[in-house]
Amino acid sequence: MGLIHSSWLLFIYFSSYLSVVHAAIPDRNLILAQLEKNGACCTTLDYFLPNKVHLNDILDVEYQQSQQSFWSAQERSLNPTCIVIPTSTQDVSIAVSILYVAYEASVNGCQFAVRGAGHTPHAGAANIDGGVTIDMQSMDQVTVSADQQQVSVGSGNRFGNIYTTLDDLNLVMTAGRVSTVGIGGLTIGGGVSFFSGRYGFACDNINAFEIVLANGTITTASSASNPSLFRALKGGNNNFGIVTRFDAKLRPQTAFWGGTISQPITNKEAFYDFFTNFTISANYDPYSALISIFAWVSGVPTIIHTPVYTDGDVAWPPPTFAPLDAMPKLSTTIRKAKLSKFTDEIATTASPTTGRYNLFVTVSYVNDPEVASEFMAEIFDLTDNTINELLTVVGLIPTLTFQPLPHVLYSKSSLTGGNVLGLDRFQYDLVNVLYTISWQFPTDSERVETAFQELEAAIIAKAKERGIYNEWIYLNYAAQWQDPIQSYGSANVQFLREVSRQYDPSGLFQEAVPGGFKLGI
């Protein structure tokens, strides 16, 4: 009886194990032998992944192309000992298995980074000096299901590659708004979409994640399989493994309204009132989306709006945008088109910042209609003063962006099982403030970063004075010195730590992957 019971337990154990492991992992002893023989992770990786490991060599085209495909100069300035370019989930599994064994054996030089499109600006977010960078960009498959309800997307994709495929089928996924941004980082950080008013964050529109765990096993996280991991990946960043595929919901979508409206800075007071009213949940039209940017050119500000209305059957302007459209304009490109046309337009506008030193900083505040317009004016004035103090910074391109985050939008996560962003603690209509700053030379980096740390502190102080401060920090826009994970609230932080201990008990992605925002364990 005991033997039968033991055999039954073994059957259950191995059945469960096989449901997680979808690919053969190199033998641990063989990995250790190669590490001992070579004394280096990169040589060992090359042994198991021939022709997919590229050394820091000026003549290695793949290495150089990978380095130059990062958005920011900060990331390009780092020099990994080697870059692994996988073309399959099996490749990723092998690479992580080797790095896991090296980590447990305390082999030097085996820390690593994982990058998709590489759009996070600060150094080390998705690249590393003297270690291993796993470049996912070759994993760019886009597969639409037969019933057109789901698209399976490789984690190395940029949205430009995905959207051109979906546009031809009159389909959309709830995801990024810039063609050059990647699905990997955006989605595991939350992800705001033109369709978020109708469907919530990008992460809340994922049916399943295929992921390589710390020990190299390949599994799926969904509401039915590994549900705690599934929830943790919806905002938890790179703390649990390497996502290799996203299975995302698809919805029918024909051409819709979008483009840009450029306005003189003299419109700003009227805009503050419009935006405050626009962001109130009771007023919010779920078919609308809005990005409003103050851009300074040689110290002179202009307002550039990207309004989107995803119901193409109505006439422009729909009532929600009629007050904005009626204001004086410098130019407009508003028209009906498919999604990729609008994401390409934003990418083209942002292209002058490519390869330069770049910085994101973000804060949030409560959209209290009694004081929000005045607070927006204070933010503008504080920002204008900071930029005027930095006018001698060579090639300075600063922008201030306001984006609505009403409760009616972010509360949609409850319909799909929730995420870990922590917004479910709130009942307020919120506003996200984003600074994107670009400059030419590293000698100005400390000055720029210090100035915007001081500006961030001044804005937070003003928000607290007015009683509209909100601690939430959007991870995808966070500066390196900010701590978005902690802003999710103590319950979510504790949950994320528990999931990390369950799926990565040795702490590989906490210790050996220094990039990203960590869990503090």
Side-chain angles (χ1 to χ4, degrees), residues 99 111-115 124-128 131-135 238 242 512-515:
L99 293 164
Q111 285 194 317
F112 65 103
V114 184
R115 63 81 53 100
N127 204 8
I128 197 165
V132 178
T133 293
I134 300 176
D135 182 344
N238 65 345
I242 300 178
V513 183

Side-chain angles (χ1 to χ4, degrees), residues 327-473:
M327 296 178 194
K329 302 182 186 71
L330 298 174
S331 64
T332 181
T333 66
I334 296 296
R335 76 280 190 197
K336 283 175 65 173
K338 298 288 185 71
L339 178 58
S340 65
K341 299 301 182 183
F342 301 128
T343 61
D344 286 349
E345 182 176 11
I346 296 175
T348 299
T349 301
S351 62
T353 62
T354 301
R356 292 157 53 93
Y357 290 84
N358 291 295
L359 174 67
F360 287 160
V361 186
T362 188
V363 295
S364 302
Y365 68 87
V366 176
N367 187 58
D368 181 347
E370 296 295 322
V371 297
S373 295
E374 294 175 3
F375 183 60
M376 292 178 76
E378 289 178 329
I379 291 176
F380 173 83
D381 289 341
L382 288 167
T383 306
D384 194 49
N385 290 337
T386 297
I387 289 168
N388 284 325
E389 292 170 359
L390 294 174
L391 285 181
T392 56
V393 171
V394 177
L396 184 70
I397 304 175
T399 65
L400 159 64
T401 302
F402 292 95
Q403 296 182 72
L405 195 60
H407 178 261
V408 71
L409 184 157
Y410 65 74
S411 62
K412 284 181 167 51
S413 66
S414 63
L415 303 177
T416 56
N419 55 46
V420 294
L421 297 174
L423 288 165
D424 55 338
R425 294 170 292 160
F426 309 126
Q427 300 293 319
Y428 315 116
D429 298 322
L430 301 176
V431 174
N432 174 259
V433 178
L434 165 66
Y435 289 100
T436 303
I437 309 98
S438 184
W439 64 100
Q440 190 168 344
F441 297 122
T443 48
D444 288 316
S445 295
E446 183 177 357
R447 181 183 171 197
V448 172
E449 291 176 7
T450 297
F452 277 87
Q453 286 184 37
E454 292 173 352
L455 177 58
E456 174 200 8
I459 290 171
I460 289 172
K462 288 285 188 183
K464 289 180 176 178
E465 286 176 14
R466 290 189 172 275
I468 57 173
Y469 169 69
N470 185 272
E471 66 268 29
W472 190 71
I473 298 170

Side-chain angles (χ1 to χ4, degrees), residues 56-297:
N56 185 0
D57 185 335
I58 192 67
L59 298 178
D60 191 315
V61 174
E62 287 85 356
Y63 183 100
Q64 300 303 328
Q65 287 178 339
S66 177
Q67 286 288 88
Q68 292 305 306
S69 64
F70 283 102
W71 174 48
S72 74
Q74 293 100 313
E75 286 284 64
R76 296 184 186 191
S77 70
L78 303 182
N79 294 293
T81 303
C82 65
I83 298 175
V84 180
I85 303 180
T87 57
S88 68
T89 301
Q90 172 73 21
D91 290 345
V92 178
S93 172
I94 291 170
V96 173
S97 299
I98 294 164
L99 293 164
Y100 175 73
V101 172
Y103 167 68
E104 289 204 317
S106 300
V107 178
N108 290 330
C110 294
Q111 285 194 317
F112 65 103
V114 184
R115 63 81 53 100
H119 196 260
T120 301
H122 58 259
N127 204 8
I128 197 165
D129 246 341
V132 178
T133 293
I134 300 176
D135 182 344
M136 302 292 288
Q137 290 182 97
S138 293
M139 296 183 64
D140 61 352
Q141 74 275 15
V142 179
T143 305
V144 176
S145 63
D147 62 4
Q148 297 193 342
Q149 298 296 303
Q150 175 175 283
V151 61
S152 295
V153 178
S155 63
N157 268 290
R158 297 170 190 259
F159 290 113
N161 186 53
I162 302 169
Y163 292 161
T164 51
T165 299
L166 300 182
D167 279 355
D168 291 341
L169 299 171
N170 285 326
L171 297 170
V172 294
M173 61 185 291
T174 301
R177 298 166 295 179
V178 184
S179 294
T180 50
V181 169
I183 186 173
L186 178 128
T187 305
I188 61 174
V192 179
S193 168
F194 289 140
F195 304 95
S196 288
R198 292 158 69 185
Y199 310 123
F201 287 103
C203 66
D204 295 318
N205 287 270
I206 300 297
N207 293 325
F209 302 89
E210 180 185 73
I211 183 171
V212 175
L213 300 176
N215 61 1
T217 60
I218 303 166
T219 191
T220 298
S222 68
S223 59
S225 176
N226 301 300
S228 63
L229 179 60
F230 180 56
R231 180 168 172 261
L233 288 169
K234 294 192 284 183
N237 203 225
N238 65 345
N239 287 293
F240 310 100
I242 300 178
V243 177
T244 51
R245 192 188 73 236
F246 297 85
D247 295 340
K249 293 181 177 69
L250 286 177
R251 295 178 173 90
Q253 180 68 53
T254 54
F256 57 93
W257 294 104
T260 60
I261 297 173
S262 177
Q263 296 178 336
I265 196 62
T266 50
N267 276 19
K268 64 182 188 297
E269 283 77 15
F271 162 68
Y272 300 150
D273 291 339
F274 162 79
F275 184 87
T276 297
N277 186 63
F278 179 87
T279 305
I280 297 170
S281 280
N283 302 336
Y284 195 76
D285 186 329
Y287 288 88
S288 66
L290 179 63
I291 306 169
S292 292
I293 300 173
F294 289 79
W296 281 257
V297 178

